[in-house]
Amino acid sequence: MVTAPRHIPVVADRVLDLLEPAVLAADTPVLVDTTLGLGGHSEAILERFGEVRVIGIDRDGDALRRATARLEPFGDRFTPVHAVYDEIAEAVRSVGVARVTGVLFDLGVSSMQLDQAERGFAYAQDAPLDMRMNPQDPLTAAEVLNSYEERELARVLRDYGEEKFARKIARTIVREREREPFERSARLVELVRDAIPAPARRTGGNPAKRTFQALRIEVNDELGAYERALPAALGLTEIGGRVVVLSYHSLEDRITKRTFAAATTSTAPPGLPVVPPEHEPRFRLLTRGAERASETEIAENPRATSVRLRAVERIAHDQR
Ligand SMILES: C[S@@+](CC[C@H](N)C(=O)[O-])C[C@H]1O[C@@H](n2cnc3c(N)ncnc32)[C@H](O)[C@@H]1O
């Protein structure tokens, strides 16, 4: 099988190096891959660590099926779970595990989802405005475009797409949907291009990129789910266990940075001569700032271009 470069798991060696000390220290190491996708990272983990068991979560049933087939050679060392990652505690419990050795988040859409044009994630191809990671979920991108109030639409485009012309685009969408509801992506791409001022069209790639990102985040409640999932993952991690996150845009990375900062900072009031144990941080940072991929990796795998990696290790129990 020829593997296209975009299917290579991102910064996989660094992810494995970060997880290794936790795996070596554990009696029965269990890692959770919360974003299984095509199983690239899980496969690398199962190959490198002979004793590890991997629980692989994905909300996309198709991805889960494909990854499960790929990981079949590892037998019962791999367990797939169809869930949204904010259900990580239930998912882990459902397969009889109480605490985990490590958790990996490789956020966003997979190359497979982008390649399946009919799912509507890629603005470069005309397709139905769907964008659901789990096709059983009720809300589609078309539904957002055709039913949200103008102010709500502008908020989605501004907050999730960091789109400067959010109000203008939202106004144009509302006007245009009166003529005919939105169904396919080409019309939206054209509308966004026409709605923004000509000089802005010439910089920063396809102007529809930010609108598509915003719709995808809204349709899948990506930031809400992640904001709930990361603390839940930290809560499940045993002492010496590690949580590694790969984010691809600043909104996700901000949540990671904020959550890790809170977990790795003492909660003692400033100036206490001795910090009582209940105020000691429960985690320590393993990365300085956000790590990026090397130029060599980016040249081989364009998906690595925007990755930001952060990781922490648990050093103390939660206080009760
Ligand atoms: C970037 S891909 C992961 C690729 C994978 N690491 C690999 O090497 O093949 C992200 C995957 O996470 C899944 N995903 C995104 N948000 C999710 C969520 N909230 N809950 C569960 N899975 C999610 C997507 O369906 C997608 O398959």
Side-chain angles (χ1 to χ4, degrees), residues 191-237:
L191 175 151
V192 174
R193 202 187 43 233
D194 292 348
I196 69 172
R201 264 178 244 160
R202 287 192 281 273
T203 53
N206 191 324
K209 188 176 169 187
R210 291 182 294 275
T211 294
F212 272 62
Q213 173 181 306
L215 288 170
R216 200 195 83 202
I217 290 175
E218 176 68 12
V219 164
N220 297 290
D221 183 25
E222 283 181 43
L223 297 180
Y226 181 52
E227 224 153 353
R228 294 185 293 273
L230 190 54
L234 294 175
L236 286 172
T237 306

mmCIF file of all heavy atoms in Angstrom, residues 191-237:
data_model
loop_
_atom_site.group_PDB
_atom_site.id
_atom_site.type_symbol
_atom_site.label_atom_id
_atom_site.label_comp_id
_atom_site.label_asym_id
_atom_site.label_seq_id
_atom_site.Cartn_x
_atom_site.Cartn_y
_atom_site.Cartn_z
ATOM 1 N N LEU A 191 -19.163 33.268 -1.819
ATOM 2 C CA LEU A 191 -19.764 34.344 -1.015
ATOM 3 C C LEU A 191 -18.726 34.979 -0.086
ATOM 4 O O LEU A 191 -18.659 36.203 0.027
ATOM 5 C CB LEU A 191 -20.923 33.764 -0.223
ATOM 6 C CG LEU A 191 -21.646 34.654 0.775
ATOM 7 C CD1 LEU A 191 -23.094 34.208 0.900
ATOM 8 C CD2 LEU A 191 -20.992 34.642 2.161
ATOM 9 N N VAL A 192 -17.909 34.149 0.567
ATOM 10 C CA VAL A 192 -16.911 34.691 1.497
ATOM 11 C C VAL A 192 -15.917 35.549 0.714
ATOM 12 O O VAL A 192 -15.557 36.656 1.128
ATOM 13 C CB VAL A 192 -16.171 33.561 2.259
ATOM 14 C CG1 VAL A 192 -15.033 34.130 3.104
ATOM 15 C CG2 VAL A 192 -17.141 32.783 3.137
ATOM 16 N N ARG A 193 -15.494 35.048 -0.436
ATOM 17 C CA ARG A 193 -14.528 35.810 -1.234
ATOM 18 C C ARG A 193 -15.112 37.172 -1.611
ATOM 19 O O ARG A 193 -14.447 38.201 -1.516
ATOM 20 C CB ARG A 193 -14.139 35.012 -2.483
ATOM 21 C CG ARG A 193 -12.798 35.454 -3.046
ATOM 22 C CD ARG A 193 -12.455 34.803 -4.363
ATOM 23 N NE ARG A 193 -13.591 34.772 -5.248
ATOM 24 C CZ ARG A 193 -14.042 33.667 -5.836
ATOM 25 N NH1 ARG A 193 -13.458 32.524 -5.609
ATOM 26 N NH2 ARG A 193 -15.091 33.710 -6.647
ATOM 27 N N ASP A 194 -16.376 37.182 -1.998
ATOM 28 C CA ASP A 194 -16.995 38.447 -2.413
ATOM 29 C C ASP A 194 -17.249 39.378 -1.229
ATOM 30 O O ASP A 194 -17.319 40.592 -1.394
ATOM 31 C CB ASP A 194 -18.326 38.171 -3.128
ATOM 32 C CG ASP A 194 -18.087 37.473 -4.455
ATOM 33 O OD1 ASP A 194 -16.913 37.437 -4.892
ATOM 34 O OD2 ASP A 194 -19.054 36.943 -5.035
ATOM 35 N N ALA A 195 -17.440 38.797 -0.026
ATOM 36 C CA ALA A 195 -17.822 39.633 1.131
ATOM 37 C C ALA A 195 -16.634 40.379 1.731
ATOM 38 O O ALA A 195 -16.819 41.381 2.413
ATOM 39 C CB ALA A 195 -18.478 38.760 2.205
ATOM 40 N N ILE A 196 -15.418 39.894 1.511
ATOM 41 C CA ILE A 196 -14.287 40.565 2.169
ATOM 42 C C ILE A 196 -13.613 41.549 1.207
ATOM 43 O O ILE A 196 -13.652 41.359 -0.006
ATOM 44 C CB ILE A 196 -13.258 39.561 2.756
ATOM 45 C CG1 ILE A 196 -12.506 38.831 1.651
ATOM 46 C CG2 ILE A 196 -13.925 38.559 3.679
ATOM 47 C CD1 ILE A 196 -11.376 37.996 2.197
ATOM 48 N N PRO A 197 -13.005 42.611 1.756
ATOM 49 C CA PRO A 197 -12.404 43.627 0.894
ATOM 50 C C PRO A 197 -11.293 43.049 0.009
ATOM 51 O O PRO A 197 -10.580 42.131 0.436
ATOM 52 C CB PRO A 197 -11.810 44.633 1.892
ATOM 53 C CG PRO A 197 -12.393 44.296 3.218
ATOM 54 C CD PRO A 197 -12.849 42.890 3.179
ATOM 55 N N ALA A 198 -11.154 43.598 -1.187
ATOM 56 C CA ALA A 198 -10.205 43.064 -2.177
ATOM 57 C C ALA A 198 -8.780 42.907 -1.641
ATOM 58 O O ALA A 198 -8.173 41.852 -1.865
ATOM 59 C CB ALA A 198 -10.219 43.920 -3.433
ATOM 60 N N PRO A 199 -8.222 43.868 -0.890
ATOM 61 C CA PRO A 199 -6.831 43.673 -0.436
ATOM 62 C C PRO A 199 -6.685 42.454 0.472
ATOM 63 O O PRO A 199 -5.680 41.749 0.418
ATOM 64 C CB PRO A 199 -6.525 44.960 0.349
ATOM 65 C CG PRO A 199 -7.542 45.949 -0.098
ATOM 66 C CD PRO A 199 -8.753 45.183 -0.494
ATOM 67 N N ALA A 200 -7.718 42.194 1.304
ATOM 68 C CA ALA A 200 -7.650 41.051 2.231
ATOM 69 C C ALA A 200 -7.704 39.731 1.466
ATOM 70 O O ALA A 200 -7.271 38.695 1.963
ATOM 71 C CB ALA A 200 -8.806 41.127 3.229
ATOM 72 N N ARG A 201 -8.265 39.765 0.262
ATOM 73 C CA ARG A 201 -8.377 38.543 -0.543
ATOM 74 C C ARG A 201 -7.025 38.066 -1.044
ATOM 75 O O ARG A 201 -6.848 36.914 -1.389
ATOM 76 C CB ARG A 201 -9.222 38.846 -1.786
ATOM 77 C CG ARG A 201 -10.665 38.480 -1.626
ATOM 78 C CD ARG A 201 -11.396 38.852 -2.880
ATOM 79 N NE ARG A 201 -12.371 39.881 -2.584
ATOM 80 C CZ ARG A 201 -12.906 40.687 -3.471
ATOM 81 N NH1 ARG A 201 -12.554 40.626 -4.735
ATOM 82 N NH2 ARG A 201 -13.796 41.572 -3.105
ATOM 83 N N ARG A 202 -6.085 39.008 -1.109
ATOM 84 C CA ARG A 202 -4.803 38.667 -1.730
ATOM 85 C C ARG A 202 -3.789 38.098 -0.743
ATOM 86 O O ARG A 202 -2.733 37.653 -1.128
ATOM 87 C CB ARG A 202 -4.224 39.906 -2.413
ATOM 88 C CG ARG A 202 -4.975 40.247 -3.690
ATOM 89 C CD ARG A 202 -4.229 41.266 -4.500
ATOM 90 N NE ARG A 202 -4.391 42.619 -3.987
ATOM 91 C CZ ARG A 202 -5.401 43.418 -4.323
ATOM 92 N NH1 ARG A 202 -6.336 42.999 -5.159
ATOM 93 N NH2 ARG A 202 -5.493 44.633 -3.818
ATOM 94 N N THR A 203 -4.141 38.106 0.564
ATOM 95 C CA THR A 203 -3.164 37.596 1.543
ATOM 96 C C THR A 203 -3.750 36.408 2.313
ATOM 97 O O THR A 203 -4.974 36.278 2.432
ATOM 98 C CB THR A 203 -2.803 38.694 2.577
ATOM 99 O OG1 THR A 203 -4.012 39.189 3.134
ATOM 100 C CG2 THR A 203 -2.013 39.822 1.957
ATOM 101 N N GLY A 204 -2.877 35.572 2.824
ATOM 102 C CA GLY A 204 -3.289 34.533 3.781
ATOM 103 C C GLY A 204 -4.062 33.370 3.203
ATOM 104 O O GLY A 204 -4.886 32.783 3.894
ATOM 105 N N GLY A 205 -3.829 33.025 1.958
ATOM 106 C CA GLY A 205 -4.451 31.821 1.391
ATOM 107 C C GLY A 205 -5.920 32.018 1.084
ATOM 108 O O GLY A 205 -6.411 33.152 0.986
ATOM 109 N N ASN A 206 -6.657 30.909 0.975
ATOM 110 C CA ASN A 206 -8.077 30.977 0.612
ATOM 111 C C ASN A 206 -8.868 31.677 1.725
ATOM 112 O O ASN A 206 -8.835 31.247 2.881
ATOM 113 C CB ASN A 206 -8.595 29.557 0.408
ATOM 114 C CG ASN A 206 -9.975 29.547 -0.236
ATOM 115 O OD1 ASN A 206 -10.798 30.406 0.046
ATOM 116 N ND2 ASN A 206 -10.212 28.576 -1.090
ATOM 117 N N PRO A 207 -9.602 32.758 1.397
ATOM 118 C CA PRO A 207 -10.332 33.481 2.439
ATOM 119 C C PRO A 207 -11.411 32.636 3.121
ATOM 120 O O PRO A 207 -11.842 32.963 4.243
ATOM 121 C CB PRO A 207 -10.975 34.661 1.690
ATOM 122 C CG PRO A 207 -10.599 34.541 0.270
ATOM 123 C CD PRO A 207 -9.732 33.353 0.066
ATOM 124 N N ALA A 208 -11.843 31.549 2.478
ATOM 125 C CA ALA A 208 -12.893 30.715 3.081
ATOM 126 C C ALA A 208 -12.352 29.821 4.193
ATOM 127 O O ALA A 208 -13.124 29.244 4.970
ATOM 128 C CB ALA A 208 -13.547 29.848 2.009
ATOM 129 N N LYS A 209 -11.033 29.736 4.304
ATOM 130 C CA LYS A 209 -10.418 28.817 5.276
ATOM 131 C C LYS A 209 -10.930 29.077 6.700
ATOM 132 O O LYS A 209 -11.283 28.156 7.427
ATOM 133 C CB LYS A 209 -8.898 29.004 5.212
ATOM 134 C CG LYS A 209 -8.119 28.024 5.991
ATOM 135 C CD LYS A 209 -6.632 28.242 5.763
ATOM 136 C CE LYS A 209 -5.866 27.422 6.775
ATOM 137 N NZ LYS A 209 -4.445 27.682 6.737
ATOM 138 N N ARG A 210 -10.961 30.353 7.079
ATOM 139 C CA ARG A 210 -11.361 30.692 8.456
ATOM 140 C C ARG A 210 -12.842 30.394 8.698
ATOM 141 O O ARG A 210 -13.231 29.928 9.765
ATOM 142 C CB ARG A 210 -11.055 32.169 8.741
ATOM 143 C CG ARG A 210 -9.572 32.456 8.815
ATOM 144 C CD ARG A 210 -9.305 33.918 9.137
ATOM 145 N NE ARG A 210 -9.743 34.812 8.066
ATOM 146 C CZ ARG A 210 -8.995 35.101 7.001
ATOM 147 N NH1 ARG A 210 -7.787 34.622 6.885
ATOM 148 N NH2 ARG A 210 -9.459 35.903 6.051
ATOM 149 N N THR A 211 -13.672 30.655 7.679
ATOM 150 C CA THR A 211 -15.107 30.364 7.816
ATOM 151 C C THR A 211 -15.326 28.854 7.951
ATOM 152 O O THR A 211 -16.138 28.401 8.770
ATOM 153 C CB THR A 211 -15.868 30.920 6.590
ATOM 154 O OG1 THR A 211 -15.777 32.339 6.629
ATOM 155 C CG2 THR A 211 -17.333 30.507 6.587
ATOM 156 N N PHE A 212 -14.592 28.061 7.173
ATOM 157 C CA PHE A 212 -14.740 26.605 7.260
ATOM 158 C C PHE A 212 -14.285 26.085 8.624
ATOM 159 O O PHE A 212 -14.931 25.217 9.210
ATOM 160 C CB PHE A 212 -13.981 25.910 6.111
ATOM 161 C CG PHE A 212 -14.818 25.760 4.878
ATOM 162 C CD1 PHE A 212 -15.303 26.874 4.220
ATOM 163 C CD2 PHE A 212 -15.158 24.512 4.394
ATOM 164 C CE1 PHE A 212 -16.108 26.754 3.093
ATOM 165 C CE2 PHE A 212 -15.966 24.367 3.269
ATOM 166 C CZ PHE A 212 -16.431 25.499 2.615
ATOM 167 N N GLN A 213 -13.175 26.628 9.112
ATOM 168 C CA GLN A 213 -12.705 26.212 10.446
ATOM 169 C C GLN A 213 -13.772 26.523 11.499
ATOM 170 O O GLN A 213 -14.087 25.701 12.362
ATOM 171 C CB GLN A 213 -11.400 26.930 10.806
ATOM 172 C CG GLN A 213 -10.971 26.668 12.255
ATOM 173 C CD GLN A 213 -9.689 27.386 12.655
ATOM 174 O OE1 GLN A 213 -8.662 27.247 11.994
ATOM 175 N NE2 GLN A 213 -9.733 28.155 13.733
ATOM 176 N N ALA A 214 -14.346 27.728 11.403
ATOM 177 C CA ALA A 214 -15.339 28.148 12.390
ATOM 178 C C ALA A 214 -16.570 27.232 12.355
ATOM 179 O O ALA A 214 -17.068 26.805 13.407
ATOM 180 C CB ALA A 214 -15.757 29.593 12.106
ATOM 181 N N LEU A 215 -17.042 26.923 11.158
ATOM 182 C CA LEU A 215 -18.234 26.073 11.043
ATOM 183 C C LEU A 215 -17.955 24.670 11.582
ATOM 184 O O LEU A 215 -18.772 24.072 12.278
ATOM 185 C CB LEU A 215 -18.682 25.986 9.578
ATOM 186 C CG LEU A 215 -19.323 27.269 9.032
ATOM 187 C CD1 LEU A 215 -19.506 27.167 7.514
ATOM 188 C CD2 LEU A 215 -20.684 27.530 9.705
ATOM 189 N N ARG A 216 -16.777 24.160 11.264
ATOM 190 C CA ARG A 216 -16.401 22.813 11.723
ATOM 191 C C ARG A 216 -16.368 22.758 13.251
ATOM 192 O O ARG A 216 -16.869 21.817 13.868
ATOM 193 C CB ARG A 216 -15.012 22.508 11.154
ATOM 194 C CG ARG A 216 -14.658 21.066 11.113
ATOM 195 C CD ARG A 216 -13.175 20.926 10.893
ATOM 196 N NE ARG A 216 -12.475 21.063 12.158
ATOM 197 C CZ ARG A 216 -11.196 21.397 12.254
ATOM 198 N NH1 ARG A 216 -10.484 21.700 11.185
ATOM 199 N NH2 ARG A 216 -10.619 21.455 13.446
ATOM 200 N N ILE A 217 -15.800 23.801 13.866
ATOM 201 C CA ILE A 217 -15.707 23.833 15.326
ATOM 202 C C ILE A 217 -17.107 23.902 15.937
ATOM 203 O O ILE A 217 -17.413 23.207 16.902
ATOM 204 C CB ILE A 217 -14.837 25.031 15.778
ATOM 205 C CG1 ILE A 217 -13.377 24.767 15.392
ATOM 206 C CG2 ILE A 217 -14.967 25.279 17.273
ATOM 207 C CD1 ILE A 217 -12.419 25.928 15.672
ATOM 208 N N GLU A 218 -17.975 24.715 15.330
ATOM 209 C CA GLU A 218 -19.345 24.858 15.846
ATOM 210 C C GLU A 218 -20.132 23.546 15.687
ATOM 211 O O GLU A 218 -20.766 23.078 16.626
ATOM 212 C CB GLU A 218 -20.061 26.001 15.106
ATOM 213 C CG GLU A 218 -21.527 26.189 15.470
ATOM 214 C CD GLU A 218 -21.738 26.681 16.899
ATOM 215 O OE1 GLU A 218 -20.756 27.091 17.550
ATOM 216 O OE2 GLU A 218 -22.895 26.631 17.360
ATOM 217 N N VAL A 219 -20.073 22.973 14.493
ATOM 218 C CA VAL A 219 -20.847 21.749 14.204
ATOM 219 C C VAL A 219 -20.467 20.635 15.179
ATOM 220 O O VAL A 219 -21.321 19.898 15.667
ATOM 221 C CB VAL A 219 -20.600 21.300 12.733
ATOM 222 C CG1 VAL A 219 -21.044 19.866 12.503
ATOM 223 C CG2 VAL A 219 -21.310 22.246 11.776
ATOM 224 N N ASN A 220 -19.177 20.530 15.491
ATOM 225 C CA ASN A 220 -18.714 19.415 16.329
ATOM 226 C C ASN A 220 -18.479 19.810 17.782
ATOM 227 O O ASN A 220 -17.958 19.007 18.553
ATOM 228 C CB ASN A 220 -17.429 18.840 15.722
ATOM 229 C CG ASN A 220 -17.680 18.258 14.347
ATOM 230 O OD1 ASN A 220 -18.330 17.234 14.211
ATOM 231 N ND2 ASN A 220 -17.193 18.947 13.310
ATOM 232 N N ASP A 221 -18.861 21.044 18.147
ATOM 233 C CA ASP A 221 -18.599 21.559 19.497
ATOM 234 C C ASP A 221 -17.167 21.212 19.911
ATOM 235 O O ASP A 221 -16.913 20.715 21.009
ATOM 236 C CB ASP A 221 -19.616 20.970 20.502
ATOM 237 C CG ASP A 221 -19.407 21.545 21.912
ATOM 238 O OD1 ASP A 221 -18.873 22.666 22.040
ATOM 239 O OD2 ASP A 221 -19.771 20.856 22.893
ATOM 240 N N GLU A 222 -16.225 21.474 19.002
ATOM 241 C CA GLU A 222 -14.858 20.999 19.222
ATOM 242 C C GLU A 222 -14.209 21.603 20.462
ATOM 243 O O GLU A 222 -13.572 20.899 21.239
ATOM 244 C CB GLU A 222 -13.985 21.297 18.000
ATOM 245 C CG GLU A 222 -14.244 20.342 16.863
ATOM 246 C CD GLU A 222 -13.371 20.622 15.656
ATOM 247 O OE1 GLU A 222 -12.175 20.884 15.809
ATOM 248 O OE2 GLU A 222 -13.905 20.564 14.534
ATOM 249 N N LEU A 223 -14.375 22.909 20.643
ATOM 250 C CA LEU A 223 -13.685 23.534 21.778
ATOM 251 C C LEU A 223 -14.362 23.170 23.089
ATOM 252 O O LEU A 223 -13.694 22.929 24.098
ATOM 253 C CB LEU A 223 -13.626 25.050 21.595
ATOM 254 C CG LEU A 223 -12.831 25.513 20.363
ATOM 255 C CD1 LEU A 223 -12.824 27.021 20.263
ATOM 256 C CD2 LEU A 223 -11.402 24.983 20.399
ATOM 257 N N GLY A 224 -15.688 23.098 23.074
ATOM 258 C CA GLY A 224 -16.427 22.708 24.289
ATOM 259 C C GLY A 224 -16.017 21.311 24.720
ATOM 260 O O GLY A 224 -15.706 21.060 25.890
ATOM 261 N N ALA A 225 -15.990 20.389 23.742
ATOM 262 C CA ALA A 225 -15.638 18.994 24.064
ATOM 263 C C ALA A 225 -14.206 18.929 24.585
ATOM 264 O O ALA A 225 -13.909 18.219 25.548
ATOM 265 C CB ALA A 225 -15.790 18.110 22.823
ATOM 266 N N TYR A 226 -13.310 19.689 23.969
ATOM 267 C CA TYR A 226 -11.901 19.632 24.383
ATOM 268 C C TYR A 226 -11.715 20.241 25.770
ATOM 269 O O TYR A 226 -10.962 19.706 26.600
ATOM 270 C CB TYR A 226 -11.021 20.331 23.341
ATOM 271 C CG TYR A 226 -9.556 20.274 23.700
ATOM 272 C CD1 TYR A 226 -8.951 19.059 24.018
ATOM 273 C CD2 TYR A 226 -8.787 21.425 23.746
ATOM 274 C CE1 TYR A 226 -7.615 19.001 24.383
ATOM 275 C CE2 TYR A 226 -7.448 21.378 24.107
ATOM 276 C CZ TYR A 226 -6.872 20.164 24.430
ATOM 277 O OH TYR A 226 -5.554 20.104 24.805
ATOM 278 N N GLU A 227 -12.437 21.329 26.011
ATOM 279 C CA GLU A 227 -12.334 21.987 27.321
ATOM 280 C C GLU A 227 -12.791 21.063 28.454
ATOM 281 O O GLU A 227 -12.287 21.136 29.569
ATOM 282 C CB GLU A 227 -13.185 23.260 27.317
ATOM 283 C CG GLU A 227 -12.500 24.407 27.934
ATOM 284 C CD GLU A 227 -12.983 25.753 27.403
ATOM 285 O OE1 GLU A 227 -13.780 25.803 26.434
ATOM 286 O OE2 GLU A 227 -12.579 26.745 27.971
ATOM 287 N N ARG A 228 -13.737 20.177 28.155
ATOM 288 C CA ARG A 228 -14.177 19.204 29.168
ATOM 289 C C ARG A 228 -13.236 17.996 29.218
ATOM 290 O O ARG A 228 -12.997 17.411 30.269
ATOM 291 C CB ARG A 228 -15.601 18.723 28.856
ATOM 292 C CG ARG A 228 -16.654 19.810 28.971
ATOM 293 C CD ARG A 228 -18.064 19.257 28.765
ATOM 294 N NE ARG A 228 -18.318 18.788 27.416
ATOM 295 C CZ ARG A 228 -18.751 19.556 26.409
ATOM 296 N NH1 ARG A 228 -18.951 20.853 26.606
ATOM 297 N NH2 ARG A 228 -18.966 19.065 25.211
ATOM 298 N N ALA A 229 -12.707 17.635 28.040
ATOM 299 C CA ALA A 229 -11.928 16.387 27.951
ATOM 300 C C ALA A 229 -10.558 16.486 28.624
ATOM 301 O O ALA A 229 -10.101 15.533 29.253
ATOM 302 C CB ALA A 229 -11.747 15.988 26.484
ATOM 303 N N LEU A 230 -9.892 17.635 28.476
ATOM 304 C CA LEU A 230 -8.516 17.713 28.974
ATOM 305 C C LEU A 230 -8.446 17.569 30.499
ATOM 306 O O LEU A 230 -7.657 16.758 30.997
ATOM 307 C CB LEU A 230 -7.850 19.009 28.473
ATOM 308 C CG LEU A 230 -6.352 19.117 28.721
ATOM 309 C CD1 LEU A 230 -5.585 17.922 28.156
ATOM 310 C CD2 LEU A 230 -5.790 20.414 28.135
ATOM 311 N N PRO A 231 -9.277 18.286 31.279
ATOM 312 C CA PRO A 231 -9.256 18.052 32.729
ATOM 313 C C PRO A 231 -9.643 16.613 33.079
ATOM 314 O O PRO A 231 -9.086 16.027 34.009
ATOM 315 C CB PRO A 231 -10.298 19.037 33.277
ATOM 316 C CG PRO A 231 -10.480 20.058 32.202
ATOM 317 C CD PRO A 231 -10.191 19.375 30.905
ATOM 318 N N ALA A 232 -10.575 16.038 32.330
ATOM 319 C CA ALA A 232 -10.979 14.645 32.606
ATOM 320 C C ALA A 232 -9.792 13.710 32.378
ATOM 321 O O ALA A 232 -9.559 12.774 33.149
ATOM 322 C CB ALA A 232 -12.157 14.251 31.723
ATOM 323 N N ALA A 233 -9.006 13.974 31.320
ATOM 324 C CA ALA A 233 -7.833 13.138 31.027
ATOM 325 C C ALA A 233 -6.796 13.282 32.138
ATOM 326 O O ALA A 233 -6.215 12.290 32.597
ATOM 327 C CB ALA A 233 -7.233 13.541 29.679
ATOM 328 N N LEU A 234 -6.581 14.506 32.596
ATOM 329 C CA LEU A 234 -5.625 14.726 33.692
ATOM 330 C C LEU A 234 -6.079 13.956 34.930
ATOM 331 O O LEU A 234 -5.283 13.325 35.627
ATOM 332 C CB LEU A 234 -5.510 16.219 34.013
ATOM 333 C CG LEU A 234 -4.888 17.120 32.924
ATOM 334 C CD1 LEU A 234 -4.949 18.582 33.351
ATOM 335 C CD2 LEU A 234 -3.450 16.728 32.622
ATOM 336 N N GLY A 235 -7.391 14.000 35.175
ATOM 337 C CA GLY A 235 -7.950 13.339 36.351
ATOM 338 C C GLY A 235 -7.745 11.834 36.348
ATOM 339 O O GLY A 235 -7.646 11.209 37.406
ATOM 340 N N LEU A 236 -7.666 11.234 35.176
ATOM 341 C CA LEU A 236 -7.530 9.766 35.072
ATOM 342 C C LEU A 236 -6.084 9.291 35.139
ATOM 343 O O LEU A 236 -5.812 8.102 35.273
ATOM 344 C CB LEU A 236 -8.067 9.297 33.712
ATOM 345 C CG LEU A 236 -9.560 9.277 33.500
ATOM 346 C CD1 LEU A 236 -9.853 8.984 32.042
ATOM 347 C CD2 LEU A 236 -10.200 8.213 34.391
ATOM 348 N N THR A 237 -5.153 10.239 34.994
ATOM 349 C CA THR A 237 -3.742 9.869 34.842
ATOM 350 C C THR A 237 -3.104 9.535 36.193
ATOM 351 O O THR A 237 -3.231 10.292 37.150
ATOM 352 C CB THR A 237 -2.994 11.033 34.161
ATOM 353 O OG1 THR A 237 -3.679 11.341 32.948
ATOM 354 C CG2 THR A 237 -1.567 10.670 33.841
#
